[in-house]
Amino acid sequence: MVQNLSALIDTVQKNCTIADARHARDMTMCTFLLEMREYYRWEMEIPYGARLPRDELGDWLNARESLWNTVEEEEFARLPLNQGEIDPFETDDVNRALIPQGLVYSSGLGRFRKPHFVLAELKRAETREGVQVLVAGCEYARDLIAPPAAMRDGAIFLRTDAVRRLLWNKYEEWQWKEKDTALGRAFAHYGFDGDSERALDRMTEAESEAMILHEIGEARAEALLGEDWNTMLGQLGSRHAELLARAVRDHLADCLVTLPTLLEREAFGSLHFYVANLSGLRRALFPALTQAYEAWLGSRDGGPFAEIVTRAQSHWLDTARQLTTTYNQDPDAADARLARLADADLAELRL
């Protein structure tokens, strides 16, 4: 057993609080408030769909921001484990101690280099295409933002609690919106018009698999792009430039693995959900995919849909390499050049 598990949970949570203190207020006000509401729901163990107490939530928000002010300058704490203290970013070392005990830990830098930490129950561990997949269940410590899936130190880390929360939030949002959409078709496929709890279970399982497929695609894309890509992504300072780079790699990963697999399996619910979440820059970059989806809806012939996906593999690989070349030619000017592509010149990259 892990000695003094409560101390480990407290230390991981402290690091989460420090990370939030440094980065949470970088979000837009709308996103910040939505994320804080859900974080409060997790921390207070409030069931999905239950109304949040307004006054208590307001008091909690004020107290949390006061706490952030006191810890913002602190260093991340080393984790107390049986063999001694371990650097919180040494995920492999931590998991060697925790996985045999039915626990799993993840740490790393996410979008815009925000640190993420989570300690959770280990539901299962498996290997897919030579990549370790760690599936987490109940979360004992976490930060404000909860990425449902990520590649960390060569392993895929999937958070089923975060997947489930994401899906429920989207379901609640959709109830106030137009029903005949890709998102509505996804919810209908999983049976949300009947027993929503069982439907959420089915959708969580299916969309967790789709997220694992995406991360396997990320691993394939990384092998094709090489270390130059990671160097570029780690050096970009412009948010727009980073968003563009990540959108291009996401498309490459999905066209290599996620979409071909979903089409082959006829995973209709996941295909609807995928298109429903194709928004912003990713949607603007890939209008051909939305057109293929609309055509597929009418005919249910997956052939033309699959052809677009196959053609897109080489397009997104070439585009990613073009971005890397642009960066390598002049790293100091790359932020501005890539940001300009993201802001105004998407026609050069669009498929």
Side-chain angles (χ1 to χ4, degrees), residues 43-347:
E43 191 170 285
M44 300 300 171
E45 300 181 357
I46 297 173
Y48 303 135
R51 185 182 296 276
L52 299 181
R54 181 176 297 181
D55 290 343
E56 288 90 334
L57 175 58
D59 292 341
W60 176 86
L61 279 168
N62 291 332
R64 186 52 48 97
E65 292 205 311
S66 296
L67 175 60
W68 286 347
N69 290 335
T70 67
V71 303
E72 188 170 0
E73 301 302 322
E74 290 189 25
E75 296 297 322
F76 293 120
R78 296 174 67 84
L79 305 185
L81 287 165
N82 299 353
Q83 65 271 48
E85 294 186 339
I86 299 179
D87 185 293
F89 289 99
E90 295 295 337
T91 304
D92 287 346
D93 291 343
V94 177
N95 277 331
R96 269 192 287 273
L98 295 185
I99 286 176
Q101 311 300 326
L103 298 169
V104 65
Y105 173 77
S106 177
S107 66
L109 301 182
R111 184 173 290 188
F112 311 131
R113 290 182 281 286
K114 181 196 184 294
H116 293 288
F117 306 99
V118 61
L119 177 66
E121 163 204 19
L122 177 65
K123 291 189 71 175
R124 71 178 190 272
E126 59 192 44
T127 301
R128 304 273 291 269
E129 294 195 13
V131 179
Q132 185 182 38
V133 180
L134 300 170
V135 179
C138 177
E139 298 184 355
Y140 306 123
R142 52 158 281 195
D143 53 276
L144 175 60
I145 304 297
M151 182 76 75
R152 302 286 191 216
D153 295 327
I156 295 169
F157 187 75
L158 180 90
R159 302 167 62 173
T160 53
D161 183 72
V163 176
R164 192 176 181 88
R165 290 176 186 279
L166 170 72
L167 298 178
W168 182 261
N169 287 340
K170 286 188 175 291
Y171 175 62
E172 284 196 322
E173 267 181 52
W174 169 78
Q175 290 179 303
W176 299 95
K177 296 182 178 179
E178 181 187 350
K179 298 296 186 285
D180 187 21
T181 60
L183 191 57
R185 293 174 203 120
F187 290 134
H189 176 87
Y190 292 111
F192 275 82
D193 51 351
D195 185 339
S196 60
E197 188 68 23
R198 292 187 62 187
L200 183 60
D201 289 340
R202 288 191 292 270
M203 194 172 189
T204 298
E205 182 177 354
E207 299 314 321
S208 292
E209 170 64 11
M211 291 178 189
I212 290 172
L213 291 174
H214 173 80
E215 297 304 326
I216 292 171
E218 289 269 12
R220 285 198 199 173
E222 185 171 304
L224 291 169
L225 295 174
E227 194 54 38
D228 277 0
W229 178 270
N230 291 329
T231 299
M232 176 189 73
L233 200 58
Q235 295 298 320
L236 291 175
S238 161
R239 286 178 172 246
H240 285 186
E242 182 177 337
L243 288 172
L244 174 63
R246 289 185 181 276
V248 168
R249 188 177 63 182
D250 282 345
H251 280 321
L252 175 58
D254 287 334
C255 290
L256 287 170
V257 176
T258 317
L259 289 168
T261 306
L262 296 180
L263 285 164
E264 181 182 353
R265 294 177 182 175
E266 296 186 342
F268 299 146
S270 291
L271 287 168
H272 293 314
F273 190 68
Y274 181 91
V275 173
N277 286 284
L278 196 65
S279 60
L281 191 53
R282 293 183 67 220
R283 189 179 189 90
L285 279 168
F286 203 175
L289 186 65
T290 306
Q291 294 162 11
Y293 168 76
E294 296 292 341
W296 170 74
L297 280 179
S299 67
R300 289 294 175 172
D301 178 5
F305 200 164
E307 287 174 13
I308 287 292
V309 171
T310 300
R311 181 158 62 90
Q313 292 174 3
S314 58
H315 174 83
W316 296 120
L317 179 57
D318 290 344
T319 302
R321 287 172 171 164
Q322 177 187 338
L323 297 183
T324 307
T325 299
T326 299
Y327 172 81
N328 287 335
Q329 285 173 345
D330 189 349
D332 292 336
D335 267 341
R337 294 174 70 181
L338 267 61
R340 186 170 63 250
L341 284 173
D343 287 338
D345 299 329
L346 281 185

